[in-house]
Amino acid sequence: MAAGVTRLIAVGANLERSSNAVSLSHAYEEVWAGVGHYPLEAAEPDLNALGRLARDEMVVAIGEIGLDFEHVGGPPRDRQIQRLDELFAIATSLDLPVSVHNRGASEELLAAIKRHPSLRGVMHYFALDWDWAQRFLEVGFYLSFAGLITRPSRSELREVVKRCPADRLLLETDSPYGNAQQRMGVPNRPAYLTDTAQLVAELREISLEQLGDQERTNAIALFQKMK
């Protein structure tokens, strides 16, 4: 709270962690929950259980979900895509946004999003160039940035931060990962979001207060229960 972070989403990567996220959201008034199934999870998702859990009043998103084609040993690509379609269907049936993980699967993700025309959501931990940013923006998605933008090698990503429409830009920690350059090796935490926010405000030539107001508006627009 002292850092100015007044609300956060605890995100689930499987049924157990999603259930824990929902429990946290009921224990702390500033916490909301995401219910999801990480693409590299070996176990099959219990779609019925996830769907029931997602109906909780504190759940604001289906996520983290997505595709990961870069890690060796994960589920086959076709199975990941099938799972994603099933999870997208839950999101659209409950009118919840999705938080989408993407590693090496941009084409397949974009195709999946287009198969669900009423789907809305955010590309979590966005790390691609402006061409891909435009393609996800064109289907109505938000772009979320973390401490990765502070890496000296990520000048192309900082250009995306500058060009992203103000009403589609979100910030995140990806805690305990995603730290800014100056905190490498230290577990991330919500209070460290200001590290990313300060650079974003500088890149977009606005004040930190203006960025905070815009971020609050954007988060409420996407995660509508967080009003």
Side-chain angles (χ1 to χ4, degrees):
M1 297 289 283
V5 179
T6 59
R7 305 173 200 179
L8 61 90
I9 302 172
V11 175
N14 54 36
L15 183 58
E16 180 183 3
R17 292 184 179 184
S18 296
S19 181
N20 290 342
V22 172
S23 295
L24 281 172
S25 72
H26 283 278
Y28 300 95
E29 63 179 5
E30 66 271 22
V31 178
W32 300 81
V35 170
H37 192 87
Y38 196 67
L40 295 177
E41 285 284 319
E44 291 299 311
D46 185 334
L47 297 172
N48 290 329
L50 284 170
R52 288 193 297 270
L53 191 61
R55 289 175 171 82
D56 189 279
E57 62 181 355
M58 300 304 290
V59 172
V60 296
I62 300 297
E64 182 175 347
I65 60 177
L67 299 174
D68 194 318
F69 294 167
E70 291 186 356
H71 279 75
V72 176
R77 293 185 178 198
D78 289 349
R79 184 62 192 122
Q80 288 192 42
I81 292 169
Q82 183 181 351
R83 284 180 178 179
L84 186 64
D85 274 315
E86 293 166 342
L87 293 162
F88 277 178
I90 291 175
T92 56
S93 70
L94 298 176
D95 191 26
L96 287 172
V98 291
S99 177
V100 177
H101 168 103
N102 173 25
R103 282 207 185 101
S106 299
E107 292 283 3
E108 292 83 358
L109 273 169
L110 191 61
I113 290 168
K114 290 179 177 179
R115 287 195 294 273
H116 300 265
S118 62
L119 190 71
R120 55 195 177 88
V122 56
M123 299 307 296
H124 148 75
Y125 205 87
F126 191 79
L128 302 174
D129 61 19
W130 178 243
D131 177 64
W132 272 110
Q134 286 183 294
R135 296 175 74 176
F136 286 115
L137 290 167
E138 284 169 0
V139 293
F141 267 54
Y142 290 67
L143 307 180
S144 184
F145 302 94
L148 186 66
I149 68 166
T150 67
R151 307 284 190 271
S153 62
R154 293 291 182 153
S155 58
E156 193 173 64
L157 185 57
R158 288 189 287 277
E159 187 63 27
V160 177
V161 171
K162 288 193 282 187
R163 298 175 70 175
C164 181
D167 63 352
R168 284 306 181 79
L169 186 148
L170 291 171
L171 304 182
E172 62 175 282
T173 57
D174 195 35
S175 176
Y177 312 107
N179 255 334
Q181 183 70 20
Q182 62 266 38
R183 297 188 198 270
M184 291 287 285
V186 177
N188 206 354
R189 53 191 295 183
Y192 298 161
L193 183 66
T194 54
D195 296 335
T196 303
Q198 286 168 354
L199 178 57
V200 172
E202 180 182 319
L203 290 170
R204 295 179 68 86
E205 298 182 339
I206 59 175
S207 69
L208 199 56
E209 291 74 20
Q210 288 173 309
L211 178 63
D213 289 342
Q214 184 68 60
E215 287 303 292
R216 187 177 301 106
T217 297
N218 293 353
I220 291 172
L222 182 60
F223 306 110
Q224 296 171 356
K225 295 181 184 179
M226 297 180 74
K227 293 180 181 178

